[in-house]
Amino acid sequence: MASKVIPWYKKKRVSHVQSDYAYHHTKHVVKQQQTERKSSSKSAIQVQAQATAAMAEPAYTVPVFRQRSSEETEEYQRVTTNVGKGLAVIQEELHRMRMATKAQVESLELQREVRGMMSKRGDMLDEIPKMPDFLVALRPHTVWEKTPVKLFCTVQGNPRPIVKWYKGGAPVDPLSAPGKYKIENKYGVHSLIISRCVVSDTAEYSAVATNPHGTATSKAAVTVKRASGAGESCHLGLVPHLTVIHPSKLEVSLLDRFSVSFGVEGGSISLVCTMVVVPDLPNLPPLAQWYRDDKLLKPSNLVEMAVGGSAARLTLPHLAKDDEGLYTLRIFTKDGTAEHSAYLFVSDAPPSAAGAPGAPMSVKAYDINADYVLVAWKPPNTVNEAPLTGYFVDRCEAGSDSWVQSNDAPVKVCKYPVHGLSTGRSYHFRVRAVNSAGISRPSRKSDKVTALDAAESERLQGTDEGVPSAPGQVVATRNSKSSVFVQWDPPKQVKNLMGYYIDGRVVGSKEWFPCNHKPFKHNRFVVHGLIPGETYVFRAQAANVFGLSEESQESSPIAVEPALATPSSPFGITMLSCDGASMTVAWKSPKHCGGSKVNAYYIDKRNADTLTWKEVNLVAVTERLCTVDSLTEGIFYEFKVQAGNLAGVGVPSAPSAPMKCEAWTMEEPGPAYDLSFSEVRGHSLVILWKAPVYTGASAVSGYLVDMAKKGSSEFVTLTQEAVSHRYLQVSHLEEGQTYVFRVRAVNANGVGKSSQVSEPVCARALPGAQEIVANVDGDTGDIFLSLEACEICETSKFVWSKNYKPIGDCPRVEVTTKGRTSRMTFTHPDKDDLGKYSVVVTDTDGVSASHTLSEDALNTMLELSQAIRHPIVPLKHGLNYEILEKGHVRFWLQAVKLSPSVSYRFIVNDKEVTSGEGHKISHDVATGIIQMTVDHFTRANEGTYTVQIHDGKAKAQSSLVLVGDVFKAALKEAEFQRKEHIRKQGPHFSEYLYFTVTEDCTVMLACKVANVKKETTFHWYKEEEEIVPETPPNVLSGACALPIALFSRKDQGVFKATLGDDRGKDTSLFDISGQVFDDIINALAQNAGASASELVMQCTPEGIRLQCYMNYYTEEMKTVWKHKETKIASSEKMRIGGTAEMAWMQICDPSDKEKGHYTIEISDGVQTHTRTFDLSGQAYTDAYEEYLRLKAAAFAEKNRGRVVGGLPDVVTIMEQKSLSLTCTVWGEPTPEVTWFKNEQEVCSTEHTKVTFDGGKFSSLIINQVTPEDSGKYSINVRNKYGGEFVEITVSVYKHGEQIPEAKLGQPKSATPAVTPVPPRSPALPSKTPTPSKSQTPVPPGKTPTPASTPAPSMRSQASTPASTPVPKSPTPTPKSPTPTPKSPTPNPRGVKSPTPPRFMKSPTPPRK
């Protein structure tokens, strides 16, 4: 015994076995191990019963089961003495055998050398080293359940082989199930004893013998049979029992199994269990059965089952609380069954009305008769809802969806006899619960029931009236990290109990929640789905057909943590360094800590050639790293590790792979180790590792990290260059994918060994995972980082790191933990605190998070911290001013929040101002506004204004400097508002003059007036000249307007409107110039552009004209003509103009260069209106021909013979006077002149003389006129281009007679003589635009007249005779080939010189 006292949970047993043949001593050691395990189990029970006292003790004494009594000491010494004697005998025998063997070997070697020399052969007939060989192999066994079985074999080899046992490929570890397995080695006979076999022990067992020269394996199958009627049970009594063994020839192993599941009423859920089937036959799936609460399930519309594709699946498509329970999958295999069970919880669906109860369940019909049945059900659990007042029972005939309520008033018990059924018909029933808040959802309908006389129908049992009494004491104990085991005493008065409801509550909360939603039959229950680390209390309630009992007393508070147990075995033992005499090994933490912190590790070693384990350390190692000394170089060693916690020392790890003790001399570094993960999220994680122990020939300069998907051997290096730190954030992962990693250290000599491959890690965040929050304490102003863990246990600690280096005890930060929240507070935050902070919660499934503290974030929090520590009254708006009506000035500011106890001062030019004459000071707590109103603002108010605020501890001050130009502007505005107030006392303009443009492009100057009366006068002026509109303004209407038609530049100027009566006068000015004028033009252009027609082509003698008709056009509009996208400027070649109704562009003397696309753009400053015309092809050809024709006709019109002037229309002369009719004629060439009297040519005589001088002047002179000379005279002037007639009426009266009156009523225009014109070109094609109603809209209210009607297009001209007068065009129109006659209808005189009729007029002087 060691003299040093060692805590019981750290104490190791000492093995004294030195030889494989020490059978007796081995047996003693096995018994000793069993005794220790029993003692350890008893001690664990005592510790669990006194958990509080045990966990409170910081140190431990030697426990009872480690102490020996005097009798035990004597027995121990006696056994030790006997074993020592036996061992000495065995050692002597072993020495003798070794010597004999050595002599024999030397003799054989000598013989071999002699034979080799004799035969000249180099091969050896007999090898001394020999690989393992089984002399006696394992044989298969078939045994009954609960009976033992022994497997044994004999193996030989040199060196002596090491035998390891495997079950189904997995190592057999006797310590993993104490008392289950026993491994022995007696004189070379290796045996495995399995005690009390169960069906699950059915497997293939193998013995693997290994030495340096090879490996040999022997296999045998063990089959455990179950007797007919035998069954298994669990501690809850809910695993279904099989009475008949269903044979199957398939071997089935379950893999991924369904866990505890949670569903919602009305939803669906699937329970899936994957498996491996050998042989896997598609047409022969395994035989699987599903059970709910020990009842076999059958496929239906509510239960769907499927087996195939290496999975067994149970689907519940329409969940109800009836489906809640323990589900068990049992699959029949070749030698028995494989099974798995898990609980399904089904919660209530959202109620139809807030506070309404949950639906009843388990509706079933009893006492079936011809006209009635008794319907019974189970009550719902009511936790926070109002108490139930009763139930409604509904029925429905099978095949129908029409439900009928059976009871008028709610029934208070969970049974009801339904009467009025029809014999032979089938019915379904359902139930609804009622409370003061409303009616629940209906329950699931019952199975079909047929109303018949059935003497043997099931009867509802129980006659006791009333609800059961409350359950007894409730005790909750730790079960797992998310569940608690709850048990209670049954009620004293059971009264046909249906089951129990269990409720839970978080400590500190008043809200209870249901733990189950269907009455549970047993008085023990495992509550799942709890928050790890949270503390709960529980209560129970009994239920029968009469309702729910009173609630039981609450259990003691219990934290949700795993049950206290010894830790699982460590794993992943790896060698980190070796110097030939020692090895440094490391390992990974146990996957399960047993509900207590692992604080001890014990390492054992052995020579790989032996079975004897030796302790490396008697004192516990706290780190997962150990250097093992006193090793022999060149020997292979194996290691195993045990972990310890409060519950004791756990099972040892599996032996490591044999490691050769050989000094490392490579120049590259050794492997990194202890790979771990932090901050695992859906697409990223952080991997951390420790530096290699062996650094090689130079220091480690960096690390390379490799990654691969689980199951793949293709690793990808994540970093192009080695990283200098020992962590790496890996991003761009696939969510849900599992990865493995490895790390390689790098130094100046190269890349070292790879680390052990990490444990697989799934890229998925923990449910409820939180991130680190950076904030400022609102009370103290401290800057802190905090994390609320989604799970925690009693032994969990929050480990904070900066740049992934543990902070530890640092004066710059202070770490506090309360419940599931840890806070790290910065004591003196500054730039040295910038960096990446992370926190890891130990003893959890990887709860961790990180946060990068940036400079901007720190500065923001420093400002907030300063504001909290030195509070100020936060202001929404600083001190400002506004000018009110009447010229009052209001100084104001607005705080974010004010308390009723706020105080403040207004200081003007260093003098405090109080509320009084001329000043009004007030505040509003609701809005946070503090204000001061100055009634009369004058020059004396110039200066600095300040407001000082005190609100509790907070202060604030705001100032406003009102001097210089700022003050002058405020004073001016105040005076203006005073004047405005005075102005509005009489008639005034509520809206000053502004302009609008009507649809017909009339510009309206408008204004609005107020405070007017009947006597109020209104006048318009332009440049101080009054304008009298056609419609007098009506001031009582509140609006006046002045229309300006055909607006153009001439309308520029200053317009004025005046308004006045006996109360005063007001004036409004409107200057139409500059930008205002441009705005009006743009408004007109917008109207005109929207109404613009398509471009129309018109041919003239001067060229081709393109015209665009619109509502209104003026040259001030921004109008652009383009030819082939090139802007056209007005010139002799291209003339641009327009009228009030259209814009035009004329191409003078067109040529082929003028062909192409023409565009007019009308811009209104915002939008450009575009119209186009394609002047090319046939359109241009026809237009050009029409132009040539019109040009020729115009030339002829210009040069034809005509009377220029000089002749009167009527001549009255007294007889005997001489009459001279003289006129000027013109024509090119010189025309011929002929005079006529009464349509008879006048020849020159002595009485009548005709002259024509110089080709310009023609005269008819009548000497001494007589009455016979009276008549109608005419002159015909003509040349080759044509001519005209001019008529003169001559009246001769006698002396003394009254002068005759002239006959009026006929025009005096000359009638041109018609000259033949060359044939016209054919009509233009129909595609040539012609003005039409659609193309040339007539303004509303206007009647087309010749003056306003557009000229006909080329097409209409082509079809009009040359002698037809052409109506006037809105634009200047070239002269017609023949002038328009003054008379509407000329009367042709003849082919030569027709004489049109003449109308008489009063005598007038000769026209000029």
Side-chain angles (χ1 to χ4, degrees):
M1 298 292 291
S3 61
K4 185 176 180 180
V5 177
I6 302 175
W8 64 269
Y9 63 93
K10 295 182 178 179
K11 194 167 185 179
K12 298 279 293 181
R13 69 178 186 279
V14 180
S15 176
H16 300 280
V17 181
Q18 302 294 334
S19 172
D20 292 346
Y21 303 100
Y23 165 70
H24 297 286
H25 187 72
T26 302
K27 183 177 181 181
H28 168 75
V29 171
V30 171
K31 291 182 178 179
Q32 180 182 350
Q33 291 177 357
Q34 294 175 352
T35 304
E36 290 180 357
R37 292 192 191 101
K38 292 179 182 179
S39 300
S40 176
S41 176
K42 293 179 181 178
S43 177
I45 294 173
Q46 294 173 1
V47 171
Q48 184 174 4
Q50 302 174 354
T52 304
M55 289 188 288
E57 293 180 0
Y60 299 91
T61 59
V62 177
V64 176
F65 80 97
R66 286 291 187 184
Q67 299 177 353
R68 294 190 176 97
S69 62
S70 58
E71 295 179 357
E72 291 176 341
T73 302
E74 293 177 359
E75 176 66 17
Y76 173 76
Q77 292 176 351
R78 184 183 63 81
V79 174
T80 303
T81 303
N82 294 335
V83 172
K85 294 179 180 179
L87 182 60
V89 173
I90 294 173
Q91 287 178 343
E92 292 178 359
E93 179 67 18
L94 178 61
H95 179 70
R96 186 188 64 77
M97 293 177 64
R98 284 178 177 174
M99 296 301 295
T101 303
K102 182 178 179 181
Q104 185 179 2
V105 169
E106 290 177 352
S107 177
L108 292 174
E109 177 67 17
L110 182 61
Q111 294 177 10
R112 185 188 64 80
E113 290 179 357
V114 171
R115 284 195 301 269
M117 294 174 61
M118 294 174 62
S119 61
K120 305 295 183 181
R121 296 172 58 188
D123 57 324
M124 298 177 63
L125 298 178
D126 188 10
E127 291 284 342
I128 297 177
K130 188 174 183 180
M131 66 179 294
D133 182 24
F134 283 92
L135 300 179
V136 178
L138 297 177
R139 66 180 182 83
H141 290 73
T142 301
V143 297
W144 291 107
E145 194 175 23
K146 299 181 181 180
T147 59
V149 64
K150 180 177 181 180
L151 302 176
F152 62 91
C153 61
T154 303
V155 62
Q156 68 176 5
N158 193 13
R160 185 168 50 254
I162 298 174
V163 176
K164 295 183 179 180
W165 292 89
Y166 294 85
K167 173 187 175 183
V172 175
D173 187 359
L175 297 179
S176 62
K180 178 71 174 178
Y181 301 104
K182 183 178 180 180
I183 298 177
E184 295 180 346
N185 178 13
K186 299 179 181 179
Y187 306 103
V189 177
H190 300 268
S191 60
L192 170 66
I193 302 173
I194 306 174
S195 61
R196 293 185 63 84
C197 291
V198 294
V199 175
S200 59
D201 290 325
T202 300
E204 182 182 63
Y205 290 81
S206 57
V208 179
T210 306
N211 69 2
H213 302 289
T215 301
T217 303
S218 177
K219 298 181 180 180
V222 174
T223 303
V224 181
K225 293 290 187 178
R226 175 175 296 166
S228 177
E232 294 181 2
S233 63
C234 72
H235 66 284
L236 293 182
L238 294 179
V239 177
H241 304 286
L242 289 179
T243 57
V244 180
I245 295 181
H246 297 262
S248 174
K249 295 184 179 180
L250 301 177
E251 296 182 4
V252 182
S253 300
L254 301 182
L255 298 180
D256 297 331
R257 311 176 184 213
F258 57 91
S259 60
V260 175
S261 304
F262 299 87
V264 179
E265 199 175 15
S268 63
I269 198 169
S270 294
L271 305 180
V272 182
C273 190
T274 61
M275 53 191 173
V276 175
V277 183
V278 179
D280 189 3
L281 303 177
N283 296 328
L284 183 59
L287 177 59
Q289 290 181 344
W290 290 88
Y291 294 82
R292 181 199 300 134
D293 296 340
D294 204 16
K295 293 183 179 179
L296 180 65
L297 298 178
K298 296 182 179 180
S300 66
N301 59 340
L302 300 177
V303 179
E304 299 174 0
M305 303 177 187
V307 181
S310 300
R313 182 185 301 270
L314 173 70
T315 302
L316 306 174
H318 308 288
L319 278 178
K321 290 187 292 184
D322 305 66
D323 297 319
E324 182 170 298
L326 182 70
Y327 284 80
T328 299
L329 168 65
R330 174 160 291 182
I331 297 182
F332 295 90
T333 64
K334 182 177 181 181
D335 298 309
T337 61
E339 58 189 36
H340 172 66
S341 300
Y343 209 88
L344 170 63
F345 295 87
V346 181
S347 60
D348 286 298
S352 55
M361 70 214 76
S362 303
V363 180
K364 189 174 181 180
Y366 298 88
D367 302 345
I368 303 172
N369 288 274
D371 59 347
Y372 83 93
V373 297
L374 180 62
V375 179
W377 58 89
K378 293 180 180 179
N381 190 7
T382 55
V383 180
N384 300 309
E385 298 85 3
L388 296 177
T389 58
Y391 303 89
F392 285 118
V393 180
D394 304 331
R395 70 173 183 268
C396 171
E397 287 196 25
S400 171
D401 293 331
S402 178
W403 290 91
V404 179
Q405 184 172 305
S406 300
N407 54 324
D408 297 331
V411 60
K412 298 185 180 299
V413 296
C414 296
K415 58 182 179 178
Y416 180 75
V418 179
H419 295 270
L421 305 181
S422 299
T423 304
R425 294 191 179 180
S426 299
Y427 295 88
H428 294 285
F429 300 93
R430 70 180 188 187
V431 182
R432 294 170 293 152
V434 184
N435 67 0
S436 58
I439 303 176
S440 73
R441 295 160 52 96
S443 67
R444 174 181 285 178
K445 66 181 181 180
S446 67
D447 293 335
K448 184 171 63 174
V449 175
T450 303
L452 294 171
D453 285 326
E456 297 182 359
S457 64
E458 187 176 358
R459 301 290 176 177
L460 183 62
Q461 302 296 324
T463 58
D464 293 340
E465 296 289 334
V467 298
S469 59
Q473 181 182 7
V474 179
V475 178
T477 56
R478 292 163 58 169
N479 186 65
S480 72
K481 69 176 183 179
S482 62
S483 64
V484 169
F485 182 76
V486 181
Q487 57 185 349
W488 56 92
D489 294 333
K492 295 180 178 179
Q493 299 177 3
V494 178
K495 296 185 178 181
N496 301 300
L497 189 70
M498 286 183 176
Y500 299 92
Y501 281 120
I502 301 93
D503 303 331
R505 177 175 61 85
V506 177
V507 173
S509 173
K510 296 182 180 179
E511 295 292 328
W512 290 88
F513 61 88
C515 300
N516 62 324
H517 304 85
K518 177 182 176 182
F520 189 72
K521 295 182 179 180
H522 304 274
N523 62 337
R524 52 196 180 275
F525 188 75
V526 178
V527 180
H528 289 272
L530 303 178
I531 300 175
E534 193 63 81
T535 303
Y536 295 86
V537 294
F538 299 92
R539 69 185 184 189
Q541 214 174 357
N544 65 4
V545 294
F546 294 97
L548 303 178
S549 73
E550 296 292 331
E551 293 91 353
S552 68
Q553 293 183 352
E554 298 178 5
S555 68
S556 299
I558 183 170
V560 182
E561 294 175 352
L564 193 62
T566 57
S568 60
S569 61
F571 62 100
I573 302 175
T574 181
M575 181 169 63
L576 302 180
S577 178
C578 181
D579 59 5
S582 65
M583 290 184 185
T584 300
V585 295
W587 56 90
K588 296 180 181 180
S589 302
K591 293 185 178 180
H592 304 287
C593 66
S596 176
K597 181 181 178 181
V598 176
N599 54 10
Y601 291 98
Y602 298 96
I603 302 96
D604 294 343
K605 70 175 181 181
R606 75 176 178 186
N607 189 324
D609 293 338
T610 66
L611 297 177
T612 305
W613 289 98
K614 296 182 180 180
E615 291 91 346
V616 172
N617 61 315
L618 294 177
V619 179
V621 175
T622 57
E623 300 294 332
R624 287 180 284 109
L625 182 74
C626 181
T627 299
V628 182
D629 300 317
S630 303
L631 302 180
T632 304
E633 187 171 7
I635 299 299
F636 284 88
Y637 290 92
E638 293 179 351
F639 301 90
K640 65 180 180 181
V641 184
Q642 289 174 275
N645 63 2
L646 285 176
V649 179
V651 296
S653 66
S656 68
M659 302 177 186
K660 186 176 183 180
C661 183
E662 184 177 16
W664 287 9
T665 59
M666 66 271 197
E667 297 180 347
E668 297 83 6
Y673 70 101
D674 199 13
L675 275 64
S676 61
F677 300 97
S678 175
E679 304 160 41
V680 180
R681 299 295 185 265
H683 301 284
S684 65
L685 57 81
V686 175
I687 180 174
L688 305 97
W689 60 90
K690 291 184 179 178
V693 175
Y694 179 82
T695 59
S698 58
V700 175
S701 58
Y703 300 90
L704 297 174
V705 181
D706 303 331
M707 179 184 75
K709 292 184 178 180
K710 181 181 178 182
S712 172
S713 60
E714 298 179 0
F715 280 85
V716 178
T717 303
L718 299 177
T719 55
Q720 296 181 354
E721 297 181 358
V723 294
S724 58
H725 42 74
R726 295 194 301 276
Y727 64 89
L728 180 68
Q729 183 168 5
V730 184
S731 55
H732 304 98
L733 302 178
E734 300 178 18
E735 186 169 7
Q737 183 65 51
T738 303
Y739 300 87
V740 292
F741 296 84
R742 68 185 184 191
V743 179
R744 294 173 290 158
V746 180
N747 64 6
N749 301 93
V751 181
K753 292 183 178 181
S754 297
S755 67
Q756 265 193 341
V757 177
S758 71
E759 286 296 296
V761 57
C762 181
R764 179 180 292 111
L766 289 175
Q770 303 289 329
E771 300 297 337
I772 293 178
V773 177
N775 209 338
V776 180
D777 192 292
D779 297 329
T780 63
D782 293 334
I783 298 175
F784 65 88
L785 301 177
S786 68
L787 174 71
E788 182 180 0
C790 59
E791 66 174 77
I792 198 173
C793 69
E794 184 180 359
T795 60
S796 294
K797 290 186 179 180
F798 291 81
V799 180
W800 287 88
S801 303
K802 181 179 180 181
N803 298 327
Y804 296 100
K805 294 181 180 179
I807 294 176
D809 295 332
C810 177
R812 300 190 62 86
V813 297
E814 180 182 351
V815 178
T816 57
T817 301
K818 184 178 180 181
R820 295 191 294 133
T821 302
S822 179
R823 173 187 287 192
M824 185 182 69
T825 305
F826 297 93
T827 54
H828 303 287
D830 56 24
K831 292 184 179 180
D832 293 337
D833 293 314
L834 301 179
K836 188 169 186 178
Y837 292 85
S838 60
V839 60
V840 175
V841 185
T842 62
D843 296 333
T844 62
D845 286 342
V847 178
S848 55
S850 67
H851 179 82
T852 301
L853 185 61
S854 63
E855 184 174 359
D856 291 341
L858 179 60
N859 291 336
T860 302
M861 290 189 290
L862 284 172
E863 294 178 1
L864 182 57
S865 175
Q866 179 70 15
I868 294 174
R869 291 175 176 176
H870 305 283
I872 61 173
V873 178
L875 301 179
K876 281 187 178 179
H877 302 284
L879 187 59
N880 207 335
Y881 77 94
E882 64 175 334
I883 310 299
L884 307 177
E885 62 178 7
K886 299 183 182 182
H888 298 173
V889 179
R890 173 177 173 255
F891 294 89
W892 65 277
L893 60 79
Q894 185 177 15
V896 175
K897 183 179 180 182
L898 291 178
S899 68
S901 60
V902 65
S903 62
Y904 53 88
R905 298 193 306 162
F906 273 93
I907 300 174
V908 180
N909 295 331
D910 299 330
K911 293 182 180 180
E912 184 176 356
V913 178
T914 59
S915 184
E917 185 177 356
H919 299 82
K920 296 179 182 178
I921 300 175
S922 63
H923 74 281
D924 185 1
V925 174
T927 60
I929 293 178
I930 300 174
Q931 62 183 2
M932 177 181 69
T933 303
V934 180
D935 293 340
H936 190 63
F937 194 71
T938 63
R939 292 186 179 277
N941 297 109
E942 184 176 8
T944 302
Y945 293 76
T946 303
V947 179
Q948 295 177 347
I949 308 174
H950 294 264
D951 194 358
K953 297 181 181 180
K955 301 178 181 179
Q957 177 174 307
S958 181
S959 298
L960 174 66
V961 179
L962 203 58
V963 296
D965 294 338
V966 177
F967 173 77
K968 291 178 182 178
L971 181 61
K972 183 179 179 181
E973 177 67 17
E975 292 175 349
F976 171 76
Q977 290 296 337
R978 277 196 296 271
K979 293 178 181 179
E980 279 290 289
H981 176 69
I982 296 172
R983 179 180 70 86
K984 292 181 180 179
Q985 302 307 308
H988 62 275
F989 290 95
S990 59
E991 289 189 25
Y992 288 106
L993 287 175
Y994 61 93
F995 78 89
T996 59
V997 177
T998 63
E999 291 185 0
D1000 60 353
C1001 293
T1002 298
V1003 177
M1004 304 291 293
L1005 291 185
C1007 62
K1008 293 183 180 180
V1009 297
N1011 199 15
V1012 295
K1013 58 184 180 178
K1014 186 176 182 182
E1015 292 77 12
T1016 304
T1017 60
F1018 189 94
H1019 299 278
W1020 292 98
Y1021 296 89
K1022 179 184 179 185
E1023 301 294 348
E1024 300 301 332
E1025 293 185 6
E1026 185 175 0
I1027 303 173
V1028 181
E1030 295 181 0
T1031 303
N1034 181 14
V1035 294
L1036 296 179
S1037 66
C1040 298
L1042 176 67
I1044 304 176
L1046 302 179
F1047 181 86
S1048 64
R1049 197 173 297 279
K1050 63 180 176 57
D1051 295 307
Q1052 286 184 320
V1054 178
F1055 288 79
K1056 181 174 68 173
T1058 62
L1059 182 70
D1061 56 23
D1062 56 353
R1063 296 169 297 167
K1065 182 180 179 181
D1066 199 7
T1067 303
S1068 177
L1069 299 178
F1070 192 74
D1071 185 6
I1072 300 182
S1073 62
Q1075 186 60 44
V1076 176
F1077 179 80
D1078 293 341
D1079 293 341
I1080 297 176
I1081 291 299
N1082 288 336
L1084 291 170
Q1086 181 181 6
N1087 191 322
S1091 65
S1093 68
E1094 296 296 330
L1095 288 178
V1096 177
M1097 184 175 64
Q1098 176 72 46
C1099 294
T1100 68
E1102 288 79 12
I1104 301 174
R1105 177 180 295 181
L1106 298 179
Q1107 301 173 158
C1108 181
Y1109 296 91
M1110 59 192 73
N1111 287 351
Y1112 177 69
Y1113 174 77
T1114 179
E1115 62 181 5
E1116 286 81 9
M1117 293 182 184
K1118 297 177 184 178
T1119 306
V1120 177
W1121 289 87
K1122 291 184 179 180
H1123 177 221
K1124 298 178 181 179
E1125 302 301 327
T1126 302
K1127 184 178 179 181
I1128 300 173
S1130 184
S1131 61
E1132 291 296 326
K1133 184 68 175 180
M1134 299 285 192
R1135 296 178 184 176
I1136 297 175
T1139 65
E1141 295 183 350
M1142 74 174 177
W1144 55 263
M1145 188 276 298
Q1146 181 162 300
I1147 307 170
C1148 299
D1149 193 15
S1151 62
D1152 288 348
K1153 292 191 297 182
E1154 281 71 50
K1155 292 182 179 180
H1157 201 76
Y1158 286 85
T1159 304
I1160 182 174
E1161 295 180 353
I1162 306 169
S1163 175
D1164 58 14
V1166 178
Q1167 185 179 1
T1168 300
H1169 306 272
T1170 304
R1171 302 293 185 270
T1172 60
F1173 188 87
D1174 187 9
L1175 186 61
S1176 60
Q1178 188 62 37
Y1180 176 80
T1181 302
D1182 296 343
Y1184 187 73
E1185 291 179 357
E1186 179 66 10
Y1187 153 69
L1188 294 178
R1189 187 186 70 78
L1190 294 177
K1191 182 178 180 181
F1195 183 80
E1197 172 64 18
K1198 178 180 178 182
N1199 293 286
R1200 67 177 175 82
R1202 69 186 68 188
V1203 177
V1204 177
L1207 290 178
D1209 293 334
V1210 177
V1211 176
T1212 303
I1213 188 172
M1214 188 174 24
E1215 63 180 348
Q1216 298 303 317
K1217 300 289 185 178
S1218 294
L1219 174 64
S1220 176
L1221 300 176
T1222 304
C1223 65
T1224 302
V1225 300
W1226 183 88
E1228 185 63 35
T1230 303
E1232 297 179 356
V1233 179
T1234 306
W1235 289 87
F1236 294 90
K1237 176 186 178 183
N1238 296 330
E1239 299 183 1
Q1240 297 296 321
E1241 184 176 353
V1242 177
C1243 296
S1244 183
T1245 61
E1246 292 183 358
H1247 181 67
T1248 304
K1249 185 178 181 181
V1250 177
T1251 63
F1252 184 48
D1253 298 332
K1256 291 185 179 180
F1257 306 102
S1258 177
S1259 301
L1260 173 62
I1261 302 173
I1262 304 175
N1263 297 319
Q1264 298 180 352
V1265 296
T1266 62
E1268 288 77 8
D1269 293 322
S1270 298
K1272 182 188 294 183
Y1273 291 82
S1274 61
I1275 181 173
N1276 183 9
V1277 181
R1278 61 176 306 212
N1279 61 9
K1280 65 179 181 179
Y1281 295 113
E1284 69 176 359
F1285 290 94
V1286 176
E1287 297 178 348
I1288 309 99
T1289 301
V1290 177
S1291 298
V1292 181
Y1293 63 91
K1294 294 181 179 182
H1295 182 74
E1297 293 182 355
Q1298 186 179 357
I1299 298 175
E1301 295 180 358
K1303 296 181 179 179
L1304 303 177
Q1306 294 183 348
K1308 55 182 178 179
S1309 61
T1311 303
V1314 178
T1315 302
V1317 180
R1320 297 185 182 184
S1321 62
L1324 294 177
S1326 61
K1327 72 177 180 178
T1328 305
T1330 59
S1332 62
K1333 289 182 180 180
S1334 61
Q1335 294 173 328
T1336 311
V1338 179
K1342 293 186 179 182
T1343 303
T1345 61
S1348 62
T1349 304
S1353 64
M1354 288 175 49
R1355 182 171 182 180
S1356 61
Q1357 290 181 3
S1359 60
T1360 305
S1363 60
T1364 303
V1366 178
K1368 290 185 179 180
S1369 170
T1371 58
T1373 308
K1375 294 180 180 180
S1376 170
T1378 55
T1380 303
K1382 291 184 178 180
S1383 63
T1385 308
N1387 296 323
R1389 181 172 177 250
V1391 176
K1392 179 180 179 182
S1393 180
T1395 304
R1398 255 185 119 199
F1399 297 91
M1400 297 297 297
K1401 286 188 177 181
S1402 60
T1404 58
R1407 64 181 177 176
K1408 297 180 181 181

